[in-house]
Amino acid sequence: IARRKAAHMLKYPDAEVISLGIGDTTEPIPEVITSALAKRSYALSTQEGYSGYGAEQGEKPLRAAIASTFYKDLGIEEGDIFVSDGAKCDISRLQIVFGSNVTMAVQDPSYPAYVDSSVIMGQTGEFQKDAEKYGKIEYMRCTAENGFFPDLSTVARTDIIFFCSPNNPTGAAATREQLTRLVQFAKDNGSIIVYDSAYALYISDDNPRSIFEIPGAKEVAIETSSFSKYAGFTGVRLGWTVIPKELLFSDGFPVAKDFNRIVCTCFNGASNISQAGGLACLSPEGFKAVHEVIGFYKENTDIIVETFNSLGFKVYGGKNAPYVWVQFPGRSSWDVFSEILEKTHVVTTPGSGFGPGGEGFIRVSAFGHRGNVLEACKRFKHLYK
């Protein structure tokens, strides 16, 4: 995408290119949060405020705030939480815990890091060009017809199941009943679910925001999340992973102990400055500001959804995630991407980049300045009217 965007800008040097492609935030971080970052930063230049290495698992006040804010009454405690430099980084650290001799299932389509980290770890077979898949990965097909939730009766048993809800790219949020089935499926098969809840605060309905809302999930699931899409921390870098004490390997050894060993070996802990920002995000004033930023992106989403609906397209997502999943039946995702870029100077993301199940779709990101989103939608209307 970056390569094609660069070539397009060379071809049309005067064009105003709008990027609604990668899921990078665009709006400023609220001042209640940046003031905490600045305060902690300046304190490092004083004898009293200086600190060096911190606990690799994260600072206690932040771990406690994450537990009380996101997992109140779910039986998740401060000690179950590992603070990190982001969910994406933790996904790869978890892969190191699992090693190369495990089998892996992913939603199809889904965030590419699950598959790519599996490939890097040597868990997969060769890339099968005809099927656009890697061997030895169980691709759980998620289609509009099945509500973008896999038919578990057709899914083979694997050691690890990567599951993202609300899903990137489809925007679909799994229901309580669906997640109950997923947890039971993992229990029946002795699998571990890695549940990515990076977009949970975008959920507008009563669907679960955490896998741990499902009874029994603590025995089969890990949850990873992030401040990136909540508070604009894509460059600040701060996230967390929850590994309950109840989660054990088949030999009875706690998964959290192995993850702790990896964290202490491969990581020196999240920046103390970014952790101060995270704590500010979870203060009453900070959490209100975070919800206002999320509300802004959700308004962008509504504008994009209304635009494609008005043009007669089948549109999915948008309600519970900052992504709009637009169907172009029978067309190549890359062809649609190229058509939109060439004729509107707007960058989107081809659905096939998220797995073979994404073919025939494009993902439009709601992360953008309001003026750019409105202008992009005007151009979409001009192209497809």
Side-chain angles (χ1 to χ4, degrees), residues 146-157:
N146 65 7
F148 296 105
F149 186 82
D151 177 359
L152 296 174
S153 68
T154 67
V155 173
R157 188 240 166 239

Side-chain angles (χ1 to χ4, degrees), residues 78-99:
E78 167 198 316
D80 300 323
I81 292 163
F82 295 81
V83 175
S84 73
D85 51 349
K88 184 179 185 180
C89 308
D90 276 346
I91 286 161
S92 288
R93 290 186 193 110
L94 285 166
Q95 292 281 36
I96 296 171
V97 171
F98 302 143

Side-chain angles (χ1 to χ4, degrees), residues 28-40 227 230-233 236 273-293:
I29 297 171
E31 196 176 339
V32 60
I33 299 164
T34 55
S35 60
L37 292 166
K39 186 178 174 187
R40 185 69 176 268
F227 287 92
Y230 296 169
F233 271 32
V236 176
I273 298 169
S274 61
Q275 289 190 74
L279 200 54
C281 289
L282 303 183
S283 69
E285 192 186 349
F287 208 50
K288 181 173 176 282
V290 162
H291 278 283
E292 285 168 4
V293 175

Side-chain angles (χ1 to χ4, degrees), residues 92-324:
S92 288
R93 290 186 193 110
L94 285 166
Q95 292 281 36
I96 296 171
V97 171
F98 302 143
S100 57
N101 295 321
V102 292
T103 50
M104 201 61 70
V106 294
Q107 287 157 291
D108 177 29
S110 68
Y111 180 47
Y114 315 135
V115 168
D116 292 352
S117 59
S118 299
V119 173
I120 289 168
M121 280 300 297
Q123 296 161 351
T124 67
E126 293 295 313
F127 184 66
Q128 301 159 359
K129 193 144 182 59
D130 54 332
E132 294 288 314
K133 293 180 179 181
Y134 283 93
K136 296 186 186 173
I137 286 190
E138 179 70 13
Y139 287 80
M140 304 185 293
R141 182 56 68 95
C142 299
T143 64
E145 292 71 37
N146 65 7
F148 296 105
F149 186 82
D151 177 359
L152 296 174
S153 68
T154 67
V155 173
R157 188 240 166 239
T158 60
D159 299 311
I160 312 297
I161 301 167
F162 278 102
F163 197 91
C164 179
S165 179
N167 176 266
N168 174 14
T170 66
T175 65
R176 200 166 300 276
E177 187 267 332
Q178 287 171 334
L179 289 180
T180 300
R181 272 191 276 145
L182 182 66
V183 166
Q184 190 58 51
F185 180 76
K187 281 193 171 181
D188 292 344
N189 288 295
S191 307
I192 291 176
I193 300 164
V194 177
Y195 188 82
D196 185 343
S197 66
Y199 301 97
L201 285 186
Y202 285 82
I203 292 177
S204 303
D205 50 32
D206 62 354
N207 289 328
R209 286 171 170 75
S210 168
I211 189 73
F212 300 121
E213 292 180 39
I214 307 303
K218 290 199 289 288
E219 295 156 31
V220 293
I222 292 166
E223 183 164 302
T224 185
S225 198
S226 164
F227 287 92
S228 284
K229 309 300 163 66
Y230 296 169
F233 271 32
T234 49
V236 176
R237 307 306 308 151
L238 193 67
W240 70 90
T241 289
V242 183
I243 307 188
K245 289 176 286 296
E246 294 89 338
L247 183 64
L248 309 174
F249 288 116
S250 55
D251 64 358
F253 193 81
V255 175
K257 284 196 173 180
D258 268 2
F259 189 65
N260 188 64
R261 168 49 55 206
I262 295 298
V263 165
C264 293
T265 303
C266 305
F267 184 52
N268 269 335
S271 154
N272 45 24
I273 298 169
S274 61
Q275 289 190 74
L279 200 54
C281 289
L282 303 183
S283 69
E285 192 186 349
F287 208 50
K288 181 173 176 282
V290 162
H291 278 283
E292 285 168 4
V293 175
I294 289 170
F296 174 86
Y297 290 129
K298 285 177 77 67
E299 286 171 8
N300 278 355
T301 312
D302 291 341
I303 293 165
I304 297 165
V305 167
E306 284 166 20
T307 296
F308 282 103
N309 275 334
S310 74
L311 294 167
F313 287 95
K314 279 197 173 173
V315 183
Y316 304 95
K319 183 183 179 187
N320 292 317
Y323 300 121
V324 181

